[in-house]
Amino acid sequence: MKSRAIAVGPYASVVSSPAAGSAWPFDLDLATLRGRRSAKWTAYPADILPLHVAEMDVALAGPIAATLHNAIDAFDTGYAGDPSELVMAFTGFANRRWTWEVDAEHVRLCSDVAAGVTEVLRLLVSPGDRVVLMPPVYPPFWQWIKAAQAVPVEVPLLEPDSGGRIDLARIERALASGVRVILLCHPHNPTGSVHQVDDLRVLAGLASQHGAIVLSDEIHSPLTHAGRQFHPYLSVSQAAADSGIAFHSASKAWNLAGLKCALIVTAAPMNRAVLDGLPHEMHWSVGHLGMLSSAAAYGSGEPWLKGLVHAVERNVTTLADLVTTRLPEVRFAPPQAGFLGWLDCRRLGFGVDPATIFRNDGRVALASGSDFGAPGDGHVRLNLACAPALLDEATKRMAEVVSARR
């Protein structure tokens, strides 16, 4: 099937239609979206539907927008200053949402989770040390490990296409062989699974037994769906508090990735001492506007977040129905958190990288599953934080590709 050029006009009508977008409360017309200069809307030509990168098609939460406008009106665009307002907002949010009591003295700031994990890894490992990660998992995990001159040890999730669980037996073997650092993605990207509290407790016990550290990337945690409880790793047991360092940010839940601010959280004096070794430049790399907007998000952004999560849950149902109807050979396990859909396309016979076929033939940009490690071969990741009409159009195009290749 040849690549087809799809006019922007019909796409514009789909996006801006009030009826089609009625289940997504953040509808923005195509001109507004195309006017964005962020990665999602500039990576591909205008005839491609961009559903590949994890940024959302939303308007900012009111308290965040007001905070940013106030800063611009005051020409307040210097370096990040006193972090106490953000730290207090985050500790309050963590207590209200997860009954997790975070000691403000155990919180440090960094520009983003990537920088935070990389710098902490550099403090924990020596060149050639091994670090566990659990594919299919967020692709930069490999780069973060290599940046610290460590060696990735892959312990794939058990049955990731059914949500995925930690393979505790293989983790134990890795620790017994000398591994002393584990990278945990919680909630997991790309599957959207929220790791079970009992599994986390066992993981913490293993880490404590072997003197290992668990670095828990919890960036998607505010986006946990109804009916599922997120348990911060550091909160599940004393062993977890002693063995863990957690990474949080408002960037995913409130769509603030470009403003550059994240938090590193510990619960044990030994791990707090580790953070004392972070480079002096870490604080100065934090975006001042990111710090201000993150404080507004954690302090006043929960009503907006509640509406967003409900809208994402409706989109999950919409996507599941569309996949069942139009792409019956594709398997989709609805996520328990976040706004990413993990689609198993192996029955289509499109090889290891169906995302390239859907992009070239159907003009739909999806994340390639193979980038998430070998267990992701034959899969795609779809960003569903958009108007339902875009999901309708994307699955229609994908179905047309499948039909043409039959």
Side-chain angles (χ1 to χ4, degrees):
M1 180 179 181
K2 294 182 179 179
S3 299
R4 60 191 179 111
I6 299 174
V8 176
Y11 179 31
S13 66
V14 167
V15 175
S16 60
S17 165
S22 58
W24 183 250
F26 307 102
D27 275 357
L28 303 169
D29 62 29
L30 182 64
T32 300
L33 293 170
R34 285 290 178 200
R36 291 182 170 183
R37 307 309 301 155
S38 62
K40 180 176 183 180
W41 289 97
T42 58
Y44 293 106
D47 68 323
I48 291 182
L49 301 185
L51 300 177
H52 59 297
V53 69
E55 62 177 77
M56 300 186 287
D57 294 345
V58 296
L60 282 176
I64 296 173
T67 295
L68 292 173
H69 281 296
N70 289 339
I72 297 302
D73 289 345
F75 312 113
D76 185 11
T77 55
Y79 290 110
D82 182 1
S84 59
E85 181 184 1
L86 168 55
V87 173
M88 289 298 100
F90 174 75
T91 58
F93 178 85
N95 198 328
R96 291 189 303 273
R97 202 163 189 86
W98 305 309
T99 61
W100 177 29
E101 295 186 7
V102 177
D103 184 342
E105 296 298 320
H106 281 268
V107 180
R108 298 288 187 275
L109 300 192
C110 57
S111 59
D112 53 34
V113 170
V117 173
T118 301
E119 292 301 331
V120 170
L121 277 173
R122 286 180 171 136
L123 296 174
L124 294 175
V125 303
S126 299
D129 284 353
R130 292 171 296 151
V131 176
V132 161
L133 74 170
M134 306 175 201
V137 73
Y138 184 51
F141 273 27
W142 280 270
Q143 282 69 51
W144 302 348
I145 293 170
K146 291 176 182 177
Q149 301 184 57
V151 178
V153 175
E154 298 184 12
V155 178
L157 293 179
L158 297 170
E159 300 182 359
D161 295 315
S162 300
R165 290 184 67 175
I166 301 169
D167 189 337
L168 293 164
R170 288 189 62 180
I171 293 285
E172 184 173 20
R173 290 196 292 271
L175 292 172
S177 74
V179 172
R180 291 296 176 262
V181 180
I182 297 167
L183 267 185
L184 176 68
C185 194
H186 175 48
H188 202 85
N189 175 5
T191 65
S193 60
V194 177
H195 294 300
Q196 297 183 20
V197 65
D198 289 342
D199 288 353
L200 294 175
R201 287 175 179 146
V202 173
L203 177 66
L206 294 172
S208 180
Q209 176 185 342
H210 291 277
I213 294 290
V214 175
L215 305 184
S216 186
D217 173 1
E218 302 182 351
I219 197 169
H220 291 276
S221 54
L223 295 164
T224 301
H225 298 180
R228 187 68 185 181
Q229 178 64 45
F230 169 80
H231 296 274
Y233 177 78
L234 298 180
S235 74
V236 301
S237 67
Q238 186 59 52
D242 291 341
S243 68
I245 299 177
F247 301 80
H248 282 259
S249 176
S251 60
K252 295 301 180 188
W254 286 274
N255 213 42
L256 306 176
L259 296 181
K260 293 300 177 186
C261 184
L263 304 98
I264 311 174
V265 186
T266 59
M270 176 179 64
N271 294 330
R272 178 182 170 187
V274 170
L275 300 191
D276 290 339
L278 289 169
H280 174 72
E281 293 77 13
M282 286 288 286
H283 174 81
W284 297 103
S285 68
V286 174
H288 177 49
L289 298 181
M291 188 174 70
L292 296 177
S293 59
S294 296
Y298 288 123
S300 305
E302 285 178 85
W304 183 93
L305 178 65
K306 181 179 180 179
L308 171 72
V309 172
H310 287 168
V312 167
E313 290 170 344
R314 290 194 295 269
N315 273 8
V316 169
T317 299
T318 296
L319 179 62
D321 291 343
L322 290 169
V323 168
T324 298
T325 302
R326 293 176 173 170
L327 298 161
E329 293 175 295
V330 172
R331 289 179 288 176
F332 170 48
Q336 299 167 343
F339 52 83
L340 303 170
W342 184 238
L343 305 180
D344 180 356
C345 303
R346 287 175 292 181
R347 293 180 180 178
L348 298 178
F350 284 7
V352 299
D353 188 20
T356 296
I357 294 173
F358 286 128
R359 183 179 67 249
N360 291 341
D361 292 3
R363 314 308 282 167
V364 179
L366 307 166
S368 174
S370 57
D371 290 342
F372 296 78
D377 288 353
H379 295 68
V380 298
R381 193 193 72 177
L382 181 152
N383 179 351
L384 51 83
C386 61
L390 267 68
L391 299 178
D392 179 79
E393 178 68 11
T395 53
K396 177 183 176 182
R397 296 184 188 189
M398 293 167 70
E400 289 174 355
V401 171
V402 173
S403 178
R405 285 186 168 249
R406 286 288 182 262

